[in-house]
Amino acid sequence: LIIFVFIIEIFFFFTSSDKIDNFANTQEFQKKYVVRNSHGYRDKEYSYKKPDNIFRILVLGDSQTFGHGIKKLEDTWHKKLEVLMNHGMKDKSFEVISLAGEGWDTDTQLYELFKNGFKYNPDLILLAFYQNDVPSPFGFECQGEDIQLFRNSKVITWIRNYSKTYQF
């Protein structure tokens, strides 16, 4: 096991890069690639009135659903889902509508559902959930060092600070 971890550590050491591509966070990226509809969502324009023979799916999500770092709307997962679901359909079609935003958590998603989501008259609502979407309770102060074991161990401290495997 130790040899395996050592091999992984060497792999991460030689393949990792400390350079972080932050282009998706720039205003230039937002202006060039992110187009929002009249409601402020990164999606096509949909009317609130649902057309006949449409099964409407509403997706609530965070930056993953928003498509953070994705240049084309059609490359987001919810638009790919829409294409797959409509493949071979004749009598009925699917619309997958995204109500998502960068940095949103479940509180924001619920707010948007009640503010605008139900206006679309969805047949199905999906919550695209990631573990960091749960909002922290106010006054909750827990730092990583509060739960670390073996605080005084020099070996463990070195592993936490320098091991690429541990950081992975």
Side-chain angles (χ1 to χ4, degrees), residues 13-61:
F13 179 78
F14 286 109
T15 60
S16 68
S17 171
D18 291 336
K19 293 181 180 179
I20 296 173
D21 182 6
N22 217 12
F23 182 60
N25 291 326
T26 64
Q27 288 181 352
E28 179 185 351
F29 182 90
Q30 296 289 323
K31 286 179 184 177
K32 188 172 182 179
Y33 298 110
V34 177
V35 177
R36 296 175 187 264
N37 62 21
S38 63
H39 301 287
Y41 305 114
R42 185 182 186 189
D43 206 338
K44 299 185 292 187
E45 196 66 46
Y46 292 98
S47 68
Y48 286 138
K49 183 174 177 2
K50 184 172 61 171
D52 294 336
N53 295 325
I54 292 289
F55 187 89
R56 192 171 264 184
I57 301 170
L58 186 69
V59 179
L60 303 169

Side-chain angles (χ1 to χ4, degrees), residues 50 54-60 81 85 94-97 113 117-118 120-127:
K50 184 172 61 171
I54 292 289
F55 187 89
R56 192 171 264 184
I57 301 170
L58 186 69
V59 179
L60 303 169
L81 175 66
M85 293 184 76
F94 292 92
E95 288 179 345
V96 180
I97 301 173
L113 174 63
F118 288 123
Y120 287 103
N121 194 21
D123 297 298
L124 177 68
I125 298 171
L126 295 178
L127 175 61

Side-chain angles (χ1 to χ4, degrees), residues 109-123:
Q109 295 156 1
L110 184 62
Y111 175 79
E112 290 297 321
L113 174 63
F114 283 101
K115 179 182 169 198
N116 287 319
F118 288 123
K119 293 177 184 177
Y120 287 103
N121 194 21
D123 297 298

